[in-house]
mmCIF file of all heavy atoms in Angstrom:
data_model
loop_
_atom_site.group_PDB
_atom_site.id
_atom_site.type_symbol
_atom_site.label_atom_id
_atom_site.label_comp_id
_atom_site.label_asym_id
_atom_site.label_seq_id
_atom_site.Cartn_x
_atom_site.Cartn_y
_atom_site.Cartn_z
ATOM 1 N N ARG A 178 53.823 75.026 37.956
ATOM 2 C CA ARG A 178 55.144 75.528 38.352
ATOM 3 C C ARG A 178 55.147 77.032 38.617
ATOM 4 O O ARG A 178 54.613 77.823 37.845
ATOM 5 C CB ARG A 178 56.177 75.206 37.275
ATOM 6 C CG ARG A 178 56.325 73.709 37.030
ATOM 7 C CD ARG A 178 56.969 73.454 35.695
ATOM 8 N NE ARG A 178 58.427 73.573 35.742
ATOM 9 C CZ ARG A 178 59.158 74.065 34.758
ATOM 10 N NH1 ARG A 178 58.583 74.536 33.665
ATOM 11 N NH2 ARG A 178 60.463 74.132 34.871
ATOM 12 N N ILE A 179 55.778 77.399 39.733
ATOM 13 C CA ILE A 179 55.945 78.817 40.064
ATOM 14 C C ILE A 179 57.444 79.110 40.099
ATOM 15 O O ILE A 179 58.197 78.462 40.830
ATOM 16 C CB ILE A 179 55.347 79.157 41.452
ATOM 17 C CG1 ILE A 179 53.870 78.743 41.514
ATOM 18 C CG2 ILE A 179 55.576 80.623 41.792
ATOM 19 C CD1 ILE A 179 52.865 79.810 41.279
ATOM 20 N N VAL A 180 57.857 80.099 39.324
ATOM 21 C CA VAL A 180 59.282 80.437 39.218
ATOM 22 C C VAL A 180 59.642 81.451 40.315
ATOM 23 O O VAL A 180 58.910 82.420 40.540
ATOM 24 C CB VAL A 180 59.589 81.041 37.833
ATOM 25 C CG1 VAL A 180 61.085 81.258 37.673
ATOM 26 C CG2 VAL A 180 59.053 80.144 36.723
ATOM 27 N N ILE A 181 60.767 81.197 40.985
ATOM 28 C CA ILE A 181 61.228 82.087 42.061
ATOM 29 C C ILE A 181 62.730 82.317 41.903
ATOM 30 O O ILE A 181 63.492 81.345 41.805
ATOM 31 C CB ILE A 181 60.986 81.459 43.456
ATOM 32 C CG1 ILE A 181 59.560 80.931 43.586
ATOM 33 C CG2 ILE A 181 61.259 82.466 44.554
ATOM 34 C CD1 ILE A 181 59.344 80.183 44.882
ATOM 35 N N PRO A 182 63.186 83.564 41.912
ATOM 36 C CA PRO A 182 64.635 83.812 41.849
ATOM 37 C C PRO A 182 65.364 83.216 43.061
ATOM 38 O O PRO A 182 64.765 83.085 44.143
ATOM 39 C CB PRO A 182 64.739 85.343 41.866
ATOM 40 C CG PRO A 182 63.403 85.827 41.416
ATOM 41 C CD PRO A 182 62.419 84.808 41.887
ATOM 42 N N VAL A 193 54.721 78.607 48.215
ATOM 43 C CA VAL A 193 54.420 77.891 46.973
ATOM 44 C C VAL A 193 54.060 76.437 47.283
ATOM 45 O O VAL A 193 53.075 75.894 46.789
ATOM 46 C CB VAL A 193 55.621 77.977 45.998
ATOM 47 C CG1 VAL A 193 55.489 76.969 44.862
ATOM 48 C CG2 VAL A 193 55.732 79.388 45.436
ATOM 49 N N ASP A 199 54.626 73.732 42.576
ATOM 50 C CA ASP A 199 56.032 73.311 42.570
ATOM 51 C C ASP A 199 56.927 74.529 42.352
ATOM 52 O O ASP A 199 56.810 75.189 41.310
ATOM 53 C CB ASP A 199 56.280 72.316 41.418
ATOM 54 C CG ASP A 199 55.419 71.070 41.551
ATOM 55 O OD1 ASP A 199 55.127 70.678 42.695
ATOM 56 O OD2 ASP A 199 55.031 70.511 40.504
ATOM 57 N N PRO A 200 57.815 74.842 43.296
ATOM 58 C CA PRO A 200 58.734 75.963 43.082
ATOM 59 C C PRO A 200 59.858 75.591 42.112
ATOM 60 O O PRO A 200 60.365 74.478 42.157
ATOM 61 C CB PRO A 200 59.306 76.230 44.483
ATOM 62 C CG PRO A 200 59.130 74.956 45.230
ATOM 63 C CD PRO A 200 57.999 74.194 44.607
ATOM 64 N N VAL A 201 60.210 76.527 41.243
ATOM 65 C CA VAL A 201 61.336 76.334 40.324
ATOM 66 C C VAL A 201 62.249 77.539 40.501
ATOM 67 O O VAL A 201 61.822 78.674 40.299
ATOM 68 C CB VAL A 201 60.864 76.289 38.852
ATOM 69 C CG1 VAL A 201 62.034 75.993 37.924
ATOM 70 C CG2 VAL A 201 59.750 75.279 38.661
ATOM 71 N N ALA A 202 63.502 77.308 40.891
ATOM 72 C CA ALA A 202 64.409 78.432 41.146
ATOM 73 C C ALA A 202 65.038 78.909 39.843
ATOM 74 O O ALA A 202 65.451 78.104 39.006
ATOM 75 C CB ALA A 202 65.497 77.998 42.123
ATOM 76 N N VAL A 203 65.090 80.236 39.677
ATOM 77 C CA VAL A 203 65.827 80.794 38.541
ATOM 78 C C VAL A 203 67.045 81.519 39.126
ATOM 79 O O VAL A 203 66.932 82.224 40.141
ATOM 80 C CB VAL A 203 64.942 81.727 37.676
ATOM 81 C CG1 VAL A 203 64.346 82.873 38.468
ATOM 82 C CG2 VAL A 203 65.721 82.278 36.482
ATOM 83 N N LEU A 216 65.634 82.093 32.602
ATOM 84 C CA LEU A 216 64.173 82.237 32.731
ATOM 85 C C LEU A 216 63.483 81.800 31.441
ATOM 86 O O LEU A 216 62.468 81.105 31.474
ATOM 87 C CB LEU A 216 63.807 83.685 33.085
ATOM 88 C CG LEU A 216 62.299 83.942 33.255
ATOM 89 C CD1 LEU A 216 61.720 83.119 34.405
ATOM 90 C CD2 LEU A 216 62.007 85.423 33.486
ATOM 91 N N ILE A 219 63.328 78.072 31.355
ATOM 92 C CA ILE A 219 62.326 77.528 32.287
ATOM 93 C C ILE A 219 60.921 77.716 31.719
ATOM 94 O O ILE A 219 60.094 76.800 31.750
ATOM 95 C CB ILE A 219 62.457 78.206 33.674
ATOM 96 C CG1 ILE A 219 63.773 77.798 34.332
ATOM 97 C CG2 ILE A 219 61.272 77.849 34.567
ATOM 98 C CD1 ILE A 219 64.095 78.561 35.606
ATOM 99 N N VAL A 220 60.677 78.910 31.177
ATOM 100 C CA VAL A 220 59.342 79.199 30.639
ATOM 101 C C VAL A 220 59.061 78.303 29.431
ATOM 102 O O VAL A 220 57.946 77.786 29.263
ATOM 103 C CB VAL A 220 59.215 80.700 30.286
ATOM 104 C CG1 VAL A 220 57.942 80.963 29.482
ATOM 105 C CG2 VAL A 220 59.223 81.551 31.561
ATOM 106 N N ILE A 225 53.735 76.773 33.350
ATOM 107 C CA ILE A 225 54.036 77.928 34.212
ATOM 108 C C ILE A 225 52.751 78.512 34.815
ATOM 109 O O ILE A 225 51.903 79.041 34.100
ATOM 110 C CB ILE A 225 54.760 79.033 33.407
ATOM 111 C CG1 ILE A 225 56.087 78.523 32.836
ATOM 112 C CG2 ILE A 225 54.979 80.288 34.270
ATOM 113 C CD1 ILE A 225 57.126 78.138 33.865
ATOM 114 N N ALA A 226 52.616 78.412 36.129
ATOM 115 C CA ALA A 226 51.472 79.027 36.811
ATOM 116 C C ALA A 226 51.758 80.492 37.114
ATOM 117 O O ALA A 226 50.853 81.329 37.140
ATOM 118 C CB ALA A 226 51.167 78.277 38.100
ATOM 119 N N GLY A 227 53.018 80.799 37.378
ATOM 120 C CA GLY A 227 53.335 82.186 37.692
ATOM 121 C C GLY A 227 54.772 82.367 38.120
ATOM 122 O O GLY A 227 55.573 81.419 38.108
ATOM 123 N N LEU A 228 55.087 83.603 38.494
ATOM 124 C CA LEU A 228 56.434 83.942 38.958
ATOM 125 C C LEU A 228 56.282 84.863 40.159
ATOM 126 O O LEU A 228 55.399 85.726 40.184
ATOM 127 C CB LEU A 228 57.202 84.631 37.830
ATOM 128 C CG LEU A 228 58.564 85.235 38.163
ATOM 129 C CD1 LEU A 228 59.580 84.893 37.074
ATOM 130 C CD2 LEU A 228 58.480 86.751 38.315
ATOM 131 N N MET A 229 57.117 84.642 41.155
ATOM 132 C CA MET A 229 57.134 85.536 42.324
ATOM 133 C C MET A 229 58.432 86.323 42.271
ATOM 134 O O MET A 229 59.513 85.729 42.204
ATOM 135 C CB MET A 229 57.100 84.747 43.632
ATOM 136 C CG MET A 229 55.838 83.960 43.852
ATOM 137 S SD MET A 229 55.924 83.024 45.395
ATOM 138 C CE MET A 229 55.218 84.206 46.559
ATOM 139 N N LEU A 230 58.319 87.636 42.317
ATOM 140 C CA LEU A 230 59.524 88.454 42.243
ATOM 141 C C LEU A 230 59.540 89.440 43.409
ATOM 142 O O LEU A 230 58.523 90.073 43.708
ATOM 143 C CB LEU A 230 59.548 89.232 40.923
ATOM 144 C CG LEU A 230 60.861 89.946 40.648
ATOM 145 C CD1 LEU A 230 61.891 88.971 40.072
ATOM 146 C CD2 LEU A 230 60.661 91.103 39.682
ATOM 147 N N VAL A 250 56.316 85.931 31.175
ATOM 148 C CA VAL A 250 55.484 85.085 32.043
ATOM 149 C C VAL A 250 54.013 85.172 31.625
ATOM 150 O O VAL A 250 53.327 84.154 31.524
ATOM 151 C CB VAL A 250 55.689 85.458 33.528
ATOM 152 C CG1 VAL A 250 54.713 84.698 34.416
ATOM 153 C CG2 VAL A 250 57.127 85.178 33.948
#
Side-chain angles (χ1 to χ4, degrees):
R178 299 161 82 216
I179 304 262
V180 186
I181 311 174
V193 166
D199 300 328
V201 184
V203 57
L216 181 62
I219 292 172
V220 169
I225 299 296
L228 172 136
M229 295 178 91
L230 189 81
V250 173

